[in-house]
Amino acid sequence: MAGRKADAAVVRDALGVGVAVGLSGFAFGVTSAGSGLTLLQTCALSLLVFTGASQFALVGALAAGGNPLTAAAGAFFLGVRNAFYGLRLSQLLALPRVVRPLAAQWVIDETAAVALAQTGRRQVRIGFAVTGLSLYVLWNLTTLLGALGAEAIGDTDAWGLDAAGPAVFLALLAPMLKSGTERAVAGLAVLLGLGLLPVLPAGVPVLAAALAAPVVLWAESRRRGGRGQR
């Protein structure tokens, strides 16, 4: 009985995340169509890329007139974080090899957050699967609806829908910033990204923001080294 209650709680939490985040796919569909991508291109991004922050970064850079290669590079570096999630999740999920390539498509912020919050392997698998399935289906469905309804909405900038994806990403990321070093990296990345927007081509500030991590870690190591010499 206790096991069933635990499973039900995981399913409830996973569906909550999947539905809440999946609905923001509508904002991506509208933003993507508004930036000039076709319906097919917009839907292909959600079906194949399936990582909201990278998708918004790509279409945002393209809408701002950025070079497609630079926009793709920025989106790629944002998506690299999913590889680190995968290293941890592969140990917790312990899935058969034949299933791993399919499961890799669902390794994103939301599935990692739900899965890593569980204690037993069964709950980890349930959380990962339910979040991944519900989010993938809803994200792609709402992407389609958003792209189809872009013309009816009109000026997407006036609605501010392009901020929905980054807002969801930040809401998921904020609770993970527990140490001073992590908060320093996040703060410096924001300063770099926003500060360089007026002077660099679209998409490049995102790449520059990635320098925040090595800079903060270098400063932290110097500070600790200085303490050790006293």
Side-chain angles (χ1 to χ4, degrees):
M1 182 65 69
R4 290 182 179 178
K5 288 185 177 180
D7 292 351
V10 176
V11 170
R12 182 191 64 235
D13 294 342
L15 284 175
V17 172
V19 171
V21 180
L23 292 176
S24 64
F26 182 84
F28 170 73
V30 172
T31 304
S32 179
S35 68
L37 271 68
T38 67
L39 176 65
L40 181 60
Q41 290 170 331
T42 297
C43 291
L45 275 174
S46 284
L47 284 167
L48 302 177
V49 178
F50 187 53
T51 173
S54 296
Q55 291 177 230
F56 273 103
L58 176 63
V59 299
L62 292 176
N67 183 285
L69 292 178
T70 304
F76 171 79
F77 279 107
L78 273 177
V80 165
R81 70 190 185 281
N82 294 334
F84 295 99
Y85 296 154
L87 293 175
R88 179 58 179 151
L89 288 175
S90 65
Q91 299 174 346
L92 296 176
L93 294 169
L95 297 173
R97 289 188 177 182
V98 68
V99 180
R100 291 177 188 174
L102 299 175
Q105 177 71 351
W106 289 355
V107 177
I108 54 176
D109 300 302
E110 294 80 7
T111 55
V114 173
L116 294 175
Q118 312 310 317
T119 53
R121 175 162 294 167
R122 176 180 171 83
Q123 281 72 39
V124 170
R125 287 179 171 178
I126 292 174
F128 178 83
V130 174
T131 306
L133 178 61
S134 60
L135 182 49
Y136 190 78
V137 171
L138 267 177
W139 180 266
N140 282 283
L141 176 60
T142 55
T143 292
L144 174 62
L145 294 176
L148 290 173
E151 292 186 4
I153 290 177
D155 184 8
T156 58
D157 291 338
W159 289 77
L161 292 175
D162 56 330
V168 171
F169 176 70
L170 289 175
L172 288 167
L173 178 64
M176 302 180 186
L177 303 177
K178 298 179 180 179
S179 70
T181 300
E182 291 170 343
R183 289 190 288 270
V185 170
L188 181 57
V190 170
L191 290 175
L192 286 172
L194 294 178
L196 296 174
L197 274 176
V199 296
L200 293 179
V204 177
V206 175
L207 301 178
L211 297 174
V215 169
V216 171
L217 291 176
W218 174 81
E220 184 72 12
S221 64
R222 289 291 300 269
R223 184 173 63 86
R224 291 177 179 176
R227 287 181 178 179
Q229 294 175 358
R230 292 178 183 176

